[in-house]
Amino acid sequence: MSENTGTLTSHLWSSSDLYRNAVLELQEAAETMKLDPNIASRLQVPKRAMIVSVPIRLDNGSIRVFEGYRVQHNMTLGPGKGGIRFHPEVNLSEVAGLAMLMTFKCSLVGLPLGGAKGGVRVDPNQLSRQEAQALTRRYTTEINMIIGPDKDIPAPDIGTDAQHMAWMMDTYSQEKGFAIPGVVTGKPIEIGGSLGRAESTGRGVVYTIQHAAKHLKDTGKPGPKMDGSTTVAVHGFGKVGAVAALEIHQLGTKVVAISDVHGGLYNKNGLNIPDILSFMGKNRTFVGYPEAEAITNEELLATPVDILIPAAIDGVITAENVGRVKATIIAEGANGPITLPALKQLEERGCFIIPDILCNAGGVIVSYFEWVQGIQNFFWSEREVNAKLAEVMENAFKKVIDVRSHYNCGMKTAALIAGVDRLNRAMLLRGLFP
Ligand code: NAD
């Protein structure tokens, strides 16, 4: 048998940019930290993946079959944890890449959880509420044998929310015969959700930005003051981006640009985020909001701001547009929004990157709190949730800064090393079965 060189050979996993990017970043971290090559090769591929067909009856009476996935990347530290994405471009490789990021994220922030991810290849905007419910329930049934409170615990991601989690929890519980809230997180409060979960990812993004601004100040580097002189642009105004925009607006900084898949808004004097959210409450969109000009997503990315928060999808800052990006801090609210070549250019330029597995970890941290509260049937106040979230995020931020100065590497590599290091020790201790 020839020696395993750790080279990624399977096209099955590596067909998406997101997966390839995640592996290249892992390889760079592995080289920098001199990771045991046997561990490195195991981490490049997921432990287990399931592809399911999800047939549902549409409102017009016809039957349509969607493709669904659940990938468990690594479960050394505990049950799998990761969101469910409903998006027309979801595929096995992308889900595998996202599951890999979840492994390193959970490890970095010290959770007793492994990395997983799921998805259905569907445009959720084309589904009626009834069709969305049927799709969610049938998908849950199809992946039923690999999820559970002790096995793998889904949560919301792009295109899914607390209502989808309620349907998943109900479907799983119906099959078992009693209520099992711990099978998913990001549930509505009424059925065992946690206070502060809905806001946790966006809130965590803002905590890391505050730490970054303080770090730059403490180390004598130019950085934002986090007051009315600081400008921010938010790409993707969804569950993560809208909360981050609101929280950072409430700190007194100026959010000058926001966008969603259809386009964006700009006001050089700062957008009134609470007012935009109430406009959206009435109109379901911010299109037509009077106190701003319309801009495109590309214009948003090129807006001269201090802080850019990409909080939509992966691969938005690329070698092609990175030259136009002017922000001094980029907070990766989304998973994988910066491609590797673009990252190198930004780092060379001195841009401070807050890596996704650190920046958006607030969601999985409070998901973990939700899971713990559910197991104990003992629920915490929102103040307690937020205080614990802030503490975990601060420790993780400090850990990444320490690793960065130890290895003299970029923030992205440092975050991965911090995540991989804990996992590496656990994998070596557990050994290889059989
Ligand atoms: P969401 O569906 O609530 O919001 C996504 C937003 O991005 C929407 O405003 C959408 O219109 C916009 N968008 C989609 N495609 C776009 C494009 N091509 N250009 C510009 N805007 C676009 O999703 P979310 O839960 O906010 O997730 C956003 C990102 O954050 C994803 O990468 C997700 O994996 C990551 N994330 C989410 C959580 C969470 O708790 N929801 C946790 C960690 C990471």
Side-chain angles (χ1 to χ4, degrees):
M1 195 79 164
S2 67
E3 196 180 318
N4 184 352
T5 57
T7 317
L8 194 66
T9 48
S10 169
H11 174 73
L12 191 68
W13 305 124
S14 61
S15 63
S16 71
D17 289 343
L18 190 138
Y19 189 88
R20 283 196 300 272
N21 223 34
V23 170
L24 288 172
E25 282 165 4
L26 171 65
Q27 285 170 346
E28 187 166 335
E31 231 164 81
T32 309
M33 70 190 289
K34 305 211 176 347
L35 181 66
D36 181 333
N38 293 323
I39 297 289
S41 61
R42 284 176 69 189
L43 290 177
Q44 285 184 32
V45 281
K47 170 186 175 66
R48 180 184 291 138
M50 194 168 184
I51 307 179
V52 293
S53 298
V54 192
I56 61 159
R57 193 175 298 281
L58 301 178
D59 292 347
N60 67 12
S62 68
I63 287 175
R64 173 120 185 247
V65 186
F66 296 91
E67 197 165 289
Y69 318 90
R70 184 74 187 169
V71 178
Q72 295 165 342
H73 173 258
N74 184 293
M75 289 152 92
T76 303
L77 297 169
K81 190 85 197 78
I84 304 287
R85 182 173 286 197
F86 281 7
H87 192 273
E89 255 121 68
V90 161
N91 57 62
L92 179 68
S93 170
E94 181 183 279
V95 175
L98 290 165
M100 188 186 294
L101 293 182
M102 285 306 299
T103 299
F104 304 138
K105 191 184 302 181
C106 291
S107 177
L108 165 65
V109 296
L111 304 181
L113 295 167
K117 201 82 181 188
V120 178
R121 197 172 168 85
V122 60
D123 181 353
N125 300 316
Q126 304 292 318
L127 299 175
S128 68
R129 182 183 160 86
Q130 182 47 40
E131 290 166 342
Q133 177 167 182
L135 186 72
T136 306
R137 287 186 181 279
R138 183 63 190 247
Y139 168 71
T140 307
T141 306
E142 294 299 338
I143 62 165
N144 180 31
M145 65 279 269
I146 63 166
I147 60 167
D150 301 317
K151 291 186 192 171
D152 181 3
I153 307 131
D157 192 72
I158 295 179
T160 59
D161 59 19
Q163 178 60 75
H164 296 83
M165 295 307 112
W167 291 328
M168 287 192 84
M169 177 266 187
D170 184 68
T171 305
Y172 187 84
S173 301
Q174 292 296 342
E175 284 166 3
K176 302 290 173 196
F178 52 95
I180 307 178
V183 65
V184 288
T185 59
K187 299 178 292 291
I189 305 294
E190 294 80 353
I191 55 167
S194 173
L195 292 168
R197 170 60 184 92
E199 300 81 8
S200 56
T201 312
R203 199 166 269 158
V205 168
V206 177
Y207 289 159
T208 61
I209 292 172
Q210 289 176 289
H211 289 307
K214 181 170 180 306
H215 171 77
L216 290 172
K217 186 166 171 243
D218 292 349
T219 50
K221 307 233 172 65
K225 293 204 180 106
M226 303 304 288
D227 58 13
S229 68
T230 299
T231 52
V232 185
V234 183
H235 179 259
F237 202 65
K239 294 188 293 298
V240 178
V243 173
L246 181 62
E247 295 269 330
I248 205 157
H249 167 86
Q250 283 165 348
L251 291 177
T253 66
K254 269 197 282 189
V255 180
V256 294
I258 59 165
S259 71
D260 69 9
V261 69
H262 305 294
L265 295 179
Y266 175 76
N267 183 332
K268 71 173 180 346
N269 300 317
L271 296 162
N272 184 335
I273 301 296
D275 198 39
I276 292 175
L277 289 169
S278 83
F279 181 91
M280 286 174 76
K282 288 177 211 133
N283 303 285
R284 301 190 62 195
T285 167
F286 55 60
V287 176
Y289 179 73
E291 279 156 52
E293 15 175 314
I295 55 167
T296 65
N297 272 294
E298 274 305 314
E299 284 168 339
L300 178 136
L301 297 172
T303 308
V305 283
D306 300 304
I307 302 164
L308 173 62
I309 309 178
I313 47 159
D314 63 283
V316 293
I317 302 175
T318 62
E320 283 72 51
N321 65 12
V322 68
R324 296 192 287 279
V325 173
K326 300 177 187 77
T328 48
I329 293 180
I330 302 185
E332 290 191 314
N335 286 310
I338 308 176
T339 65
L340 208 52
L343 179 75
K344 296 287 164 212
Q345 288 195 42
L346 290 166
E347 282 179 344
E348 272 162 30
R349 217 196 280 170
C351 178
F352 191 91
I353 313 284
I354 310 175
D356 47 9
I357 62 168
L358 170 66
C359 188
N360 67 34
V364 74
I365 294 167
V366 179
S367 269
Y368 165 66
F369 295 163
E370 178 178 331
W371 182 64
V372 169
Q373 292 171 77
I375 288 170
Q376 299 183 337
N377 273 313
F378 180 66
F379 292 88
W380 312 343
S381 70
E382 187 162 356
R383 203 159 49 84
E384 277 174 280
V385 170
N386 291 342
K388 288 191 168 79
L389 168 65
E391 188 186 329
V392 178
M393 298 283 310
E394 183 175 2
N395 290 340
F397 190 90
K398 283 186 182 150
K399 197 193 295 178
V400 176
I401 293 292
D402 287 348
V403 170
R404 186 177 74 146
S405 67
H406 180 79
Y407 288 101
N408 193 21
C409 60
M411 283 292 285
K412 194 94 185 176
T413 304
L416 269 177
I417 291 177
V420 169
D421 181 51
R422 173 173 175 236
L423 188 61
N424 174 42
R425 283 180 281 125
M427 286 174 79
L428 290 172
L429 283 166
R430 284 188 56 171
L432 182 66
F433 176 85

